[in-house]
Amino acid sequence: MAAEVPPSAGIGSTGGAAGLGDPAAAMPLTRLLGIEFTETGAGLARGRLAWREDLCTSGRHPHGGVLMALADSTGAACAVLNLPTGSLGTATIESKTNFFRGVRSGTVEARSTPLHVGRTTIVVETDVVDEQGRRVARVTQTQAVLGPA
């Protein structure tokens, strides 16, 4: 699962908070899935996704891959906002997901925060919650810093 965000797709090449343009432009899959970014900052990136039957698996629950894509997208935005100056972008090199409950209606929200910001990797933790604030999933991902740091 890679989420490369090149400078030409709305992400600045200088890293840091000034480097984030339109996250949906950098990650077209977010538009296809209907992910809406609600907050993007170095300490927190948030996005939400409305329940849709075409995104579900058995039991009318969103497919795990859809929830992982939501978390990967907000996690990538969070990582980009923490890139070292001069970096060219980021790519997911590892992702671990724990699922806790299903969702059968409404929206889910992903809240991504940095756990480690280094020169070559950034580790982001994302909680996916339902409308009542109950944890649906927790994702921890490691993002590689691309380009010269």
Side-chain angles (χ1 to χ4, degrees), residues 2 7 21 26 36 66 69 76 81 88 92 104 122 125 128 134 140:
E36 176 189 356
V66 170
L81 288 163
L88 301 177
T92 305
R104 289 199 176 125
I122 298 170
E125 184 170 74
V128 179
R134 298 175 298 193
T140 304

Side-chain angles (χ1 to χ4, degrees), residues 39-60:
E39 181 177 347
T40 51
L44 176 66
R46 293 169 24 148
R48 67 178 165 225
L49 178 65
W51 183 95
R52 294 189 343 234
E53 191 165 345
D54 64 321
L55 298 178
C56 290
T57 186
S58 63
R60 296 176 42 94

Side-chain angles (χ1 to χ4, degrees), residues 37-104:
F37 288 89
T38 58
E39 181 177 347
T40 51
L44 176 66
R46 293 169 24 148
R48 67 178 165 225
L49 178 65
W51 183 95
R52 294 189 343 234
E53 191 165 345
D54 64 321
L55 298 178
C56 290
T57 186
S58 63
R60 296 176 42 94
H61 296 285
H63 190 283
V66 170
L67 297 175
M68 293 168 69
L70 170 63
D72 188 59
S73 299
T74 59
C78 183
V80 165
L81 288 163
N82 285 283
L83 284 170
T85 300
S87 302
L88 301 177
T90 182
T92 305
I93 58 174
E94 187 271 338
S95 185
K96 183 207 184 301
T97 304
N98 287 103
F99 295 102
F100 300 105
R101 69 176 55 249
V103 176
R104 289 199 176 125

Side-chain angles (χ1 to χ4, degrees), residues 1-5 27 29 72 76 90-94 143:
M1 196 182 339
E4 187 172 328
V5 285
M27 298 177 276
L29 178 67
D72 188 59
T90 182
T92 305
I93 58 174
E94 187 271 338
Q143 297 272 341

